[in-house]
Amino acid sequence: MKVPLTIGDYLSRGAEVYGHRPAVFDEPAVGGSLGTLSYAELESRARGMALALDAMGVGQGERVAIVSPNAAKFVISYFGVSAYGRVLVPVNYRLNADEIGYIVAHSGTSVLLVDPESADSLRGISPKYKIILDGIADAELFAPAPDGAQPTEWVADEDETASINYTSGTTARPKGVQLTHRNLWLNAAIFGWHTTVTDRDVFMHTLPMFHCNGWGMPYAVTGMGVPQVVVRKIDGEEILRRIEAHGVTLLCGAPAVVAAILAAAADRRSAGRAVPGAGTVRMVVAGAPPPSKTIERVETELGWEFIQIYGLTETAPLLTINRAVPEWDEMPAAERARLQSRAGVGAIGVQIRTDEEGEVLARSNHVFAGYWEQPEESAKALAGGWFHTGDGGHVDAENYLVISDRKKDVIISGGENVSSIEVEDCLYQHPAVAEAAVIGVPDDKWGETVKALVVLRTADGATEAELIEHCRARLAHFKCPTSVEVRDSLARTATGKLQKFKLREPYWAGRGRNIN
Ligand code: AMP
């Protein structure tokens, strides 16, 4: 028998087995907050959403985009859209109107859901339907389904696209990563297994839900009836407070989130206050290689378990996992942290190797179907039956993958990708700029930060502040250079290509790796 793997399976089980349990504690103090929803209510509202989309004439296969920080409505949309045959397009709410307008147009979105805080700036974007998530305009969309009401039946196909996740990469505009039901289902199952998600867990959404669907953990925890605490904005002390209040046992985040938590915990300790979660919390980290000192501090200062994973939006994302094995139990914390700073070993069903240039290649059922309407880019990424990650590294003697470099022209700041080409394009629009190279340089808070090296047309053409301001007016702020250096010329190859590795070298000297 072959039963299609569809993402709705996770919600059906959560609701059938754990109907009366709290499913989602929504962010309390925001307009349109749904308060606490049980698993039965979560299922009913997801079904209600599908019924409302039916009533609006939004057909199966059509795209529904959401621009919102973490919210219960986002969790409902994972299922209310994808589980009934439509395609969810989760969009980074920090992008500006031009960038979001591009994604909405490129994905052919017919319904756009917008958090009230973004409503003004997205005024000019008008797909067929635009609904503000203010609790009034969206009241029908997020209402529970009437008893027994069933949306139009979807003849489920596990190879259909469940979500399109736009990600910045090697092209000036983001590409739409098509993740199928099968990709998401298997990623969630394997991720949940390797991190031992059980029905005794309590999960906290410290990872943006738009980022690779919160890495797939929302599906995994829903299937196990795990209560989920929504966090709209990262604040270390608030995270600790909610861990205490809700008995949270599991959270995911980029290294910058870990840094915020460690700082808040240090403040608590100096004020003589307890830090919650010792021996009970596990924190899953990815997005950048965390410094081993940070890993050690999670263990020694918080008493939490640290788990690293590595992957990309294109791989749903789980490729490798590094979770301390019992063989390391007796080691000093610093040594264990050093071993845990590696990206990890292949998850079940994932094959990893590196090619002769050191690029990491992967094969797995989590690897995406292709980029939405970009067949050439898809073919390039999947050439030879392996997915080309654009990351550089090696597999060590214990079969652990170590990521040490990036082949692709991408900067990762605070866990989010920035395309250097996009920022260079923007700088070239300034009349004073003759040449521009954008690189990532180490930064204590964000891991990496964006730096621009420019050659000006005339010596007094523009100041650093003017060029930064020029970018801030045109790009999402997290993508903008935080420093600009004026050069007489930029290192290039004989064929005129920028030698980024040479330009980056001085900033990364003595670090043993070229990424953070
Ligand atoms: P995204 O598609 O936005 O999730 O970004 C994926 C990229 O993040 C990868 O290609 C890597 O460059 C980086 N990345 C993710 N996890 C790790 C990790 N554990 N160590 C090093 N780099 C990572």
Side-chain angles (χ1 to χ4, degrees):
M1 192 186 291
K2 184 179 174 193
V3 178
L5 310 173
T6 71
I7 217 59
D9 295 344
Y10 286 91
L11 179 58
S12 311
R13 183 175 193 275
E16 270 164 31
V17 184
Y18 306 97
H20 296 295
R21 263 198 196 187
V24 184
F25 298 102
D26 203 1
E27 181 74 39
V30 295
S33 169
L34 296 179
T36 302
L37 298 178
S38 70
Y39 266 97
E41 285 165 338
L42 180 62
E43 189 280 334
S44 167
R45 287 184 194 249
R47 193 156 35 87
M49 184 177 196
L51 284 162
L53 291 169
D54 278 352
M56 287 158 66
V58 181
Q60 290 169 356
E62 285 194 47
R63 272 76 63 208
V64 177
I66 178 164
V67 179
S68 170
N70 291 353
K73 288 171 188 168
F74 215 128
V75 181
I76 295 171
S77 304
Y78 283 141
F79 299 102
V81 175
S82 303
Y84 294 90
R86 298 182 181 90
V87 180
L88 187 69
V89 183
V91 182
N92 181 345
Y93 62 91
R94 291 206 178 87
L95 299 179
N96 69 22
D98 170 60
E99 296 160 326
I100 293 175
Y102 171 81
I103 292 171
V104 167
H106 186 263
S107 61
T109 282
S110 39
V111 184
L112 175 62
L113 310 179
V114 179
D115 180 75
E117 273 187 28
S118 299
D120 266 359
S121 71
L122 303 186
R123 221 176 312 114
I125 303 176
S126 24
K128 192 163 169 204
Y129 293 102
K130 183 161 81 177
I131 300 172
I132 309 299
L133 303 173
D134 56 4
I136 301 161
D138 62 342
E140 228 164 287
L141 193 61
F142 289 98
D147 263 356
Q150 286 302 331
T152 307
E153 194 197 344
W154 175 47
V155 182
D157 177 348
E158 65 184 27
D159 294 321
E160 275 186 24
T161 301
S163 67
I164 306 178
N165 302 70
Y166 278 79
T167 171
S168 287
T170 48
T171 47
R173 287 295 199 176
K175 292 184 290 232
V177 172
Q178 292 180 84
L179 293 169
T180 65
H181 281 269
R182 182 179 168 79
N183 293 147
L184 297 182
W185 202 105
L186 290 166
N187 175 75
I190 306 289
F191 192 18
W193 186 14
H194 280 300
T195 55
T196 49
V197 172
T198 76
D199 57 7
R200 287 164 198 265
D201 273 315
V202 177
F203 181 65
M204 180 183 263
H205 286 278
T206 38
L207 188 71
M209 293 181 184
F210 69 78
H211 194 137
C212 198
N213 305 318
W215 299 344
M217 191 56 99
Y219 305 121
V221 295
T222 298
M224 287 290 161
V226 171
Q228 307 175 35
V229 181
V230 171
V231 171
R232 187 176 160 98
K233 189 169 169 279
I234 294 301
D235 172 317
E237 170 52 31
E238 189 55 21
I239 290 173
L240 293 178
R241 195 188 66 75
R242 293 191 195 186
I243 286 175
E244 219 159 21
H246 293 280
V248 171
T249 59
L250 178 65
L251 59 161
C252 301
V257 178
V258 184
I261 294 171
L262 285 170
D267 288 349
R268 276 197 174 208
R269 271 195 315 278
S270 39
R273 294 172 61 206
V275 176
T280 53
V281 170
R282 14 200 231 297
M283 166 121 209
V284 188
V285 178
S292 55
K293 190 67 201 166
T294 303
I295 301 174
E296 186 184 342
R297 289 181 62 201
V298 170
E299 192 181 321
T300 55
E301 295 178 20
L302 305 176
W304 299 1
E305 182 181 356
F306 178 94
I307 302 172
Q308 177 172 188
I309 68 157
Y310 159 76
L312 299 85
T313 302
E314 286 88 336
T315 62
L318 183 62
L319 290 180
T320 68
I321 181 154
N322 191 337
R323 187 170 188 186
V325 291
E327 285 81 349
W328 303 345
D329 280 356
E330 303 310 319
M331 286 179 181
E335 175 61 4
R336 194 165 38 246
R338 192 187 62 75
L339 294 173
Q340 279 209 268
S341 69
R342 299 171 294 177
V345 280
I348 299 229
V350 175
Q351 298 169 46
I352 295 281
R353 68 176 180 87
T354 53
D355 69 9
E356 44 301 329
E357 270 133 43
E359 180 171 1
V360 178
L361 309 180
R363 265 177 75 75
S364 142
N365 283 311
H366 313 168
V367 175
F368 74 145
Y371 295 111
W372 177 255
E373 296 195 333
Q374 290 194 281
E376 281 172 23
E377 292 291 335
S378 311
K380 238 196 291 176
L382 296 165
W386 288 80
F387 173 65
H388 296 248
T389 64
D391 292 309
H394 69 276
V395 177
D396 72 10
E398 291 181 298
N399 286 324
Y400 277 71
L401 175 68
V402 178
I403 303 288
S404 52
D405 202 0
R406 214 168 285 136
K407 306 280 171 192
K408 56 194 170 191
D409 214 349
V410 168
I411 299 159
I412 302 185
S413 189
E416 294 304 324
N417 287 6
V418 179
S419 158
S420 315
I421 301 166
E422 182 180 6
V423 186
E424 286 160 10
D425 270 5
C426 179
L427 284 163
Y428 275 115
Q429 287 167 29
H430 192 286
V433 173
E435 288 179 53
V438 168
I439 58 172
V441 294
D443 181 81
D444 282 345
K445 180 161 184 206
W446 301 113
E448 295 177 11
T449 185
V450 179
K451 182 185 232 359
L453 308 174
V454 297
V455 178
L456 295 177
R457 290 186 193 283
T458 54
D460 56 355
T463 63
E464 176 178 28
E466 276 163 12
L467 291 174
I468 292 175
E469 204 31 60
H470 167 86
C471 292
R472 287 175 69 87
R474 289 163 181 80
L475 296 174
H477 291 178
F478 73 90
K479 298 178 180 175
C480 295
T482 50
S483 64
V484 178
E485 276 178 36
V486 177
R487 297 281 174 89
D488 293 335
S489 63
L490 298 175
R492 287 183 186 273
T493 62
T495 55
K497 210 168 166 287
L498 277 172
Q499 284 183 302
K500 286 274 174 87
F501 72 95
K502 267 210 178 143
L503 297 170
R504 289 164 53 98
E505 226 165 41
Y507 303 98
W508 292 88
R511 291 183 169 254
R513 66 183 190 208
N514 299 319
I515 49 169
N516 234 353

